[in-house]
Amino acid sequence: MSDRKGAVPALSDETRALGDLAARCAAGLTDLVRGTHEAIAGRSFRAALASSTPARRGHDAISALTYATVRGTSAAAIALSGRAVAAAARERTPLADTPRGSVCLGALNGAIGDELEQRNDPLAIRMGLRHGGRTVSTSPPGLAARFPHATGRIAVFIHGLCETERAWWLGADPEHGGETYGARLEQDLGYTPLYVRYNTGLHISANGRRLSRLLGDIVAAWPVPVEEIALVGHSMGGLVARSACRAALDGAGGWVGLVRHVFYLGSPHGGADLEKAANLASSLLAGLPETRGFARAINGRSAGIKDLRFGYLLDEDWQGRDPDELLRCYRQDVPFIDTAAHYFVAATLTADGSHPVGRLVGDLLVRLPSAWADGQHSAHHRFDLERSRSIGPLNHFDLLNHPAVYWEMRRWVERSPDRRRGGAREDQ
């Protein structure tokens, strides 16, 4: 069910961890201000030819003492406050199981999830199957209890960066069975919807391996024989799905042979321009002592975010590389699995995807060529306009729950050879 053993952390553990995190942030902010101050002061003293005068030495001593005091006292005060609150919050529902708490944890893990996992922090999200706001055991009894009406067709939903599985209810009311893609696929086409939560701050390749193992456990313990799998990924989730399929092929994961449909909703196969801009900005800021601290702060973003720069799917894409090297792509070709039909949905802010503004900004986060995997042609994938759609005017997050997107998904599945010929495989 998870790569890390143990139950969901208690709220007291999460609150204490939040206090520790806030303390580290306060210390980091103090260091940033100190570094900027020292750089500016150093330039000023050099300009005044006073780099070794008593005034400079006195300034440096007072500055060092002041910043050390502020850093230590603020960090200690925040951390102690977190422990005090934690002591009074032992019986409440864990943050991970509340709507607002899960949103906050999703955003936090997207930003620094790799660091949280390295620290074995209670705030780090563990990959797992979720249902009704809770983690589901992938044991046969656990799945049978949670899915008493399980069918042989399952649709697995994989959210994007800084999200959790609750993102699929965007614009719907989850307390009243809102009209999500999963609910519609279940009602219209007989799929049982499954929702995955994972730490989006980790490398995409790491999450791909974990998803592959999770799907293998689910298929092995599913209450009825699994006949067909559909994967639905939003943004980063589509790349994690691709990486999981590759991991399953490399590791002889039997589940991958059951995949018949893969939907990529705004997934940056060719990379995300916003991450490229962050890489460029940090490189420029690193050039001056006065702004070097800001460059370090920007470079503190997670490995998962940096993988989005060029759509890295494999360990080989990033291992042994400088993650902050300026706009250098090491992405290797990863074929789309040939047992499934692949569908690419892009959003544009303009109604017409060919409009210059729509082509320039896409959905604000991913542009159309990247979402369509255009340019990633190989013997295993040819760009197919019939399986690629541009829908507008929508933004990136509208793709999580929109009737026009679902209409395309349903139409594609209903027209597939699997449906028309009773299970025949569709060639790519």
Side-chain angles (χ1 to χ4, degrees), residues 272-282 298 301 309 327:
D273 290 339
L274 189 59
E275 163 53 24
K276 293 174 184 175
N279 176 233
L280 176 61
S282 66
I298 294 174
R301 65 197 186 280
R309 190 180 311 155
L327 297 178

Side-chain angles (χ1 to χ4, degrees), residues 314-333:
L314 306 176
D315 289 344
E316 294 82 356
D317 294 337
W318 56 266
Q319 282 182 336
R321 318 288 189 189
D322 176 4
D324 301 312
E325 184 177 1
L326 179 59
L327 297 178
R328 182 72 180 272
C329 179
Y330 297 100
R331 183 183 63 231
Q332 300 186 43
D333 179 49

Side-chain angles (χ1 to χ4, degrees), residues 299-368:
N299 286 338
R301 65 197 186 280
S302 70
I305 292 177
K306 294 178 181 180
D307 280 350
L308 292 177
R309 190 180 311 155
F310 296 109
Y312 285 171
L313 304 178
L314 306 176
D315 289 344
E316 294 82 356
D317 294 337
W318 56 266
Q319 282 182 336
R321 318 288 189 189
D322 176 4
D324 301 312
E325 184 177 1
L326 179 59
L327 297 178
R328 182 72 180 272
C329 179
Y330 297 100
R331 183 183 63 231
Q332 300 186 43
D333 179 49
V334 176
F336 291 82
I337 59 170
D338 59 7
T339 58
H342 301 268
Y343 313 101
F344 306 87
V345 181
T348 59
L349 295 185
T350 56
D352 181 1
S354 63
H355 189 282
V357 174
R359 296 187 66 84
L360 177 65
V361 302
D363 62 14
L364 287 179
L365 294 179
V366 180
R367 293 191 299 120
L368 189 147

Side-chain angles (χ1 to χ4, degrees), residues 127-198:
M127 178 172 282
L129 180 64
R130 305 278 297 185
H131 181 77
R134 298 289 187 273
T135 300
V136 179
S137 168
T138 55
S139 65
L143 292 176
R146 284 290 186 176
F147 302 98
H149 305 294
T151 68
R153 293 189 175 97
I154 60 176
V156 183
F157 291 83
I158 310 146
H159 61 76
L161 177 70
C162 292
E163 299 171 357
T164 69
E165 81 289 347
R166 292 180 183 272
W168 294 106
W169 275 263
L170 186 68
D173 183 355
E175 293 185 359
H176 297 87
E179 287 298 305
T180 63
Y181 297 150
R184 291 166 177 152
L185 286 173
E186 184 173 30
Q187 178 178 347
D188 298 339
L189 301 176
Y191 285 94
T192 301
L194 304 180
Y195 297 91
V196 173
R197 179 184 290 189
Y198 66 101

